[in-house]
């Protein structure tokens, strides 16, 4: 109809040339869709001021003297010329909308529907074949997926996952088929051709926007990749240096090896945070209000709910660089005595000698006093001590020697430095002696104490020296001694045998 659109140059009846052309084209298109169309029935109705092309009672177009003047020919000649063009166009449209053409369109429609049905059948058949092949992989090529000894996916779960992915792929393929078939079905018939283009527009417009968005985003994506790669490379370099420092191959003045990995984790976190801050503006949708609103909401939730967590994390960092203890150390934290088995950014775990695991928040560790037995034992020997009260009738030199002998015979007590004895008080009824001994194995302190107490009792019993408890009063009026009868009986038998 573009030929008809270009024949109007003047206004008529308040309509612009473009509007006249559009109205003429619409009228001819509506007429051309009639099944009983007779193109040769188009006639010319002349009047004094206008010549109308008529089909029955319907006016297809009107020509004025001004239109003829623009064309440079008489109005009746222009009307005959335009009638020939309209008749030719109507013959084309009749052939386009005729019964034979309609039959061919119906045939095409049926073929498209049958073809789509066969494609669905083929897709389902291929999916069933693929499912059988996947099930056969269970006993042939598939192996369990494990991560550090944990079986993440066994063969059955892998089969189920592959079948699920194949099913998703089947539906995607069928959807793509429909995206092609449905517009194709509508485009077969002229009456629904506009709807076909509209449906195709509904599909293609978002796809085109997505593709254009992807192409436009490529420079930003390259920038993000470069930033991420640079940060990753820097992190790998820092990790290598941290391992070297931890292994002792790289020494830094004033920097302890056990600081290496915690420092690496802190630096890695800061670098990742810096990376996110750098690539934030390059993310798709970063400048939109929704994205910014979500960021503010997440930040508010984190700030309101993580004050205690952040306090523990900061305390954990301070504890790391204070070095009050390390893994395996025997410590005393307030009333809790045990070995350090785990240090995390949030808590410290202690296992007591009774195998009780105590979890202590790092903020509590920071606010409490800590005694590290293992550090003292490693550097210059940990001193254990025990007090006994002996009567004034026993010479102090003998008591000192007995206590030193008991300490030296205790497993875990060092010969050098040598154990020593302190006389801590002179009470009304007895003096108090304190034996001190050096040990290196702080984690065996409880057993060493037990062996020391037993050896003290054995040495004093063998020497027939009574250990006077603070509330014991010895009255020699025939009462039995505090030395065990077995020790006295053994000594009496020995003396009797010697006398004989």
């Amino acid at each position: 109809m573009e030929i008809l659109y270009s024949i109007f140059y003047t206004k008529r009846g308040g309509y612009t040339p473009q509007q006249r052309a559009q109205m003429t084209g619409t009228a001819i298109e509506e007429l051309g869709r009639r099944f009983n169309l007779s193109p040769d029935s188009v006639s010319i109705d002349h009047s004094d001021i206008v010549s109308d092309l008529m089909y029955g009672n319907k006016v297809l177009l009107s020509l004025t003297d001004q239109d003829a003047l623009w064309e440079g020919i008489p109005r009746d000649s222009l009307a005959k010329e335009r009638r020939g063009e309209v008749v030719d166009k109507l013959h084309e449209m009749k052939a386009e909308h005729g019964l034979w053409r309609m039959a061919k369109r119906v045939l095409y429609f049926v073929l498209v529907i049958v073809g789509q049905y066969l494609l669905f059948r083929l897709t389902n058949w291929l999916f069933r074949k693929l499912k059988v092949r996947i099930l056969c992989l269970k006993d042939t090529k598939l192996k369990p997926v494990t991560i550090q000894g944990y079986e993440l996916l066994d063969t059955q779960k892998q089969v189920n996952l592959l079948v699920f992915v194949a099913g998703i792929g089947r539906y995607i393929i069928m959807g793509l088929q429909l995206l092609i078939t449905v517009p194709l079905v509508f485009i077969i018939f002229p009456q629904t051709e506009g709807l076909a283009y509209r449906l195709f527009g509904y599909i293609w417009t978002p796809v085109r926007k997505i593709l254009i968005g992807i192409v436009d985003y490529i420079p930003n994506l390259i920038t993000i990749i470069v930033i991420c790669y640079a940060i990753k490379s820097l992190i790998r370099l820092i990790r290598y240096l941290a391992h070297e420092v931890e292994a002792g191959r790289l020494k830094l003045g004033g920097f302890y090896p056990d600081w290496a990995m915690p420092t690496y984790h802190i630096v890695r976190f800061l670098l990742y945070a810096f990376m996110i801050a750098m690539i934030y503006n390059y993310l798709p949708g970063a400048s939109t209000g929704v994205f910014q609103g979500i960021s503010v909401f997440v930040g508010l939730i984190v700030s309101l709910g993580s004050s205690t967590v952040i306090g523990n994390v900061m305390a954990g960092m301070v504890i790391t660089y204070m070095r009050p203890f390390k893994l395996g150390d025997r410590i005393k934290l307030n009333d809790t005595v045990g070995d350090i088995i785990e240090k995390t950014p949030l808590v410290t775990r202690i296992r007591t000698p009774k195998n009780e695991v105590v979890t202590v928040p790092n903020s509590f560790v920071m606010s409490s006093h800590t005694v590290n037995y293992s550090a003292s034992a490693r550097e210059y020997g940990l001193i254990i001590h025990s007090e006994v009260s002996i009567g004034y009738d026993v010479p102090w030199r003998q008591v000192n020697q007995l206590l030193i002998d008991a300490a030296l015979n205790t497993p875990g007590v060092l010969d050098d430095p040598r154990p020593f004895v302190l006389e801590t008080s002179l009470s009304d009824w007895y003096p108090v002696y304190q034996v001190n001994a050096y040990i290196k194995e702080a984690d065996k302190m409880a057993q060493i104490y037990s062996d020391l107490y037993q050896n003290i009792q054995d040495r004093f019993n063998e020497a027939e020296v009574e250990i006077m408890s603070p509330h014991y009063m010895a009255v020699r009026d025939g009462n039995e001694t505090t030395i065990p009868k077995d020790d006295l009986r053994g000594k009496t038998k020995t003396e009797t045998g010697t006398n004989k």
Side-chain angles (χ1 to χ4, degrees):
M1 303 305 298
E2 294 181 357
I3 295 177
L4 298 176
Y5 293 169
S6 63
I7 63 176
F8 298 102
Y9 301 97
T10 61
K11 296 181 180 180
R12 183 176 185 275
Y15 295 104
T16 64
Q18 293 81 5
Q19 291 174 335
R20 293 177 63 194
Q22 182 67 36
M23 293 169 60
T24 301
T26 303
I28 294 175
E29 287 180 358
E30 291 179 355
L31 181 62
R33 293 192 181 98
R34 296 184 181 181
F35 291 104
N36 57 349
L37 175 63
S38 177
D40 296 328
S41 299
V42 176
S43 61
I44 301 175
D45 185 10
H46 293 287
S47 65
D48 294 337
I49 60 174
V50 67
S51 296
D52 294 326
L53 268 66
M54 307 287 294
Y55 185 85
N57 297 325
K58 184 177 181 61
V59 178
L60 300 180
L61 62 90
S62 299
L63 298 171
T64 64
D65 292 331
Q66 290 181 345
D67 294 326
L69 182 62
W70 277 95
E71 293 289 343
I73 58 177
R75 177 158 50 90
D76 56 346
S77 299
L78 180 60
K80 291 179 182 179
E81 182 180 336
R82 295 294 179 262
R83 177 185 179 279
E85 294 175 354
V86 171
V87 169
D88 292 340
K89 186 63 180 179
L90 291 177
H91 276 293
E92 293 178 6
M93 297 183 69
K94 181 178 181 180
E96 185 72 18
H97 296 82
L99 293 177
W100 172 244
R101 186 60 62 87
M102 183 58 66
K104 290 172 64 176
R105 291 194 180 99
V106 172
L107 179 61
Y108 293 154
F109 176 81
V110 173
L111 289 177
V112 171
I113 297 298
V114 172
Q116 183 59 64
Y117 173 75
L118 294 177
L119 282 176
F120 278 169
R121 293 291 300 271
L122 177 62
T123 303
N124 291 327
W125 179 80
L126 291 175
F127 172 74
R128 288 194 295 270
K129 288 292 184 181
L130 180 61
K131 184 177 180 180
V132 172
R133 294 290 299 273
I134 293 174
L135 294 176
C136 293
L137 293 176
K138 178 181 179 181
D139 301 322
T140 56
K141 297 183 179 181
L142 292 181
K143 295 181 180 179
V145 178
T146 58
I147 299 178
Q148 297 182 351
Y150 171 71
E151 189 176 80
L152 181 63
L153 289 175
D154 57 16
T155 55
Q156 184 59 46
K157 290 181 180 179
Q158 293 181 53
V159 168
N160 295 338
L161 180 60
L162 291 175
V163 171
F164 174 76
V165 172
I168 296 296
R170 177 183 63 167
Y171 289 120
I172 291 176
I173 293 174
M174 295 173 70
L176 293 175
Q177 293 172 2
L178 289 176
L179 290 179
I180 298 174
T181 303
V182 172
L184 186 61
V185 167
F186 285 106
I187 207 172
I188 291 175
F189 299 96
Q191 293 82 357
T192 58
E193 185 176 356
L195 180 59
Y197 288 119
R198 185 180 302 174
L199 290 175
F200 187 75
Y202 291 155
I203 299 170
W204 173 245
T205 299
V207 173
R208 183 173 59 86
K209 289 183 179 179
I210 293 173
L211 293 177
I212 293 175
I214 292 174
V215 174
D216 293 340
Y217 188 70
I218 289 177
N220 290 343
L221 181 62
I222 294 175
T223 303
I224 292 175
I225 292 174
V226 171
I227 293 174
C228 292
Y229 181 78
I231 296 297
K232 284 282 188 180
S233 301
L234 183 58
I235 289 175
R236 282 197 293 266
L237 175 61
I238 296 174
R239 180 173 58 191
Y240 169 76
L241 296 176
H243 284 303
E244 292 296 305
V245 173
E246 186 181 35
R249 292 186 289 268
L250 177 62
K251 299 184 182 297
L252 302 175
F255 194 90
Y256 297 95
D258 55 336
W259 286 356
M261 295 312 296
T263 303
Y264 160 70
H265 292 302
I266 294 172
V267 173
R268 182 181 64 174
F269 173 78
L270 294 177
L271 286 175
Y272 277 132
F274 179 69
M275 181 184 71
I276 293 173
M278 290 184 64
I279 68 176
Y280 178 84
N281 290 329
Y282 296 101
L283 295 176
S287 59
T288 61
V290 175
F291 196 92
Q292 295 173 355
I294 293 175
S295 302
V296 172
F297 177 74
V298 172
L300 181 62
I301 294 298
V302 171
S303 62
L304 292 178
S306 62
S307 57
T308 303
V309 175
I310 293 176
N312 284 319
V313 171
M314 296 302 297
M317 293 173 56
V318 174
I319 291 171
T320 298
Y321 291 98
M322 284 175 56
R323 303 178 71 240
F325 48 75
K326 61 182 181 179
L327 289 178
D329 282 358
R330 171 64 63 88
I331 71 166
K332 180 179 181 182
L333 180 63
N334 285 1
D335 296 329
T336 303
V337 178
D339 300 327
I340 300 296
I341 60 173
E342 185 179 8
K343 291 194 304 180
T344 69
L346 298 177
V347 298
T348 299
R349 289 187 173 86
I350 304 173
R351 183 174 59 214
T352 68
K354 302 301 183 183
N355 283 336
E356 301 165 336
V357 177
V358 181
T359 301
V360 184
N362 286 334
S363 57
F364 180 79
V365 177
M366 278 290 299
S367 61
S368 304
H369 64 277
T370 304
V371 179
N372 192 327
Y373 299 113
S374 297
S376 299
R378 282 193 301 268
E379 294 180 12
Y380 32 76
L382 178 66
I383 298 178
I384 63 172
H385 62 277
S386 177
E387 292 184 344
V388 293
S389 56
I390 306 299
Y392 283 104
D393 56 328
V394 182
W396 64 267
R397 292 181 179 85
Q398 181 183 5
V399 175
N400 287 6
Q401 189 60 45
L402 290 174
L403 291 174
I404 291 174
D405 292 341
L408 291 174
N409 283 277
T410 301
V413 172
L414 301 178
D415 295 337
D416 186 22
R418 189 173 179 81
F420 60 92
V421 177
L422 299 176
E423 194 164 345
T424 59
S425 67
L426 297 174
S427 302
D428 292 339
W429 306 101
Y430 47 78
V432 178
Y433 301 88
Q434 183 187 85
V435 59
N436 297 265
Y438 292 86
I439 65 172
K440 286 290 187 181
E441 300 171 305
D443 56 334
K444 298 180 179 179
M445 187 167 53
Q447 184 61 47
I448 295 174
Y449 263 117
S450 177
D451 294 339
L452 176 63
Y453 296 151
Q454 294 172 1
N455 286 334
I456 290 174
Q457 294 181 71
D458 289 341
R459 291 294 178 270
F460 277 77
N461 290 339
E462 291 172 2
E464 297 185 359
V465 176
E466 297 177 285
I467 300 176
M468 311 295 291
S469 63
H471 300 288
Y472 189 89
M473 295 182 63
V475 180
R476 295 300 175 226
D477 56 356
N479 291 340
E480 295 183 355
T481 180
T482 59
I483 300 173
K485 295 180 179 180
D486 292 341
D487 291 336
L488 289 176
R489 188 179 299 114
K491 189 173 183 64
T492 302
K493 289 180 180 179
T494 303
E495 292 177 350
T496 304
T498 302
N499 293 334
K500 288 181 180 181

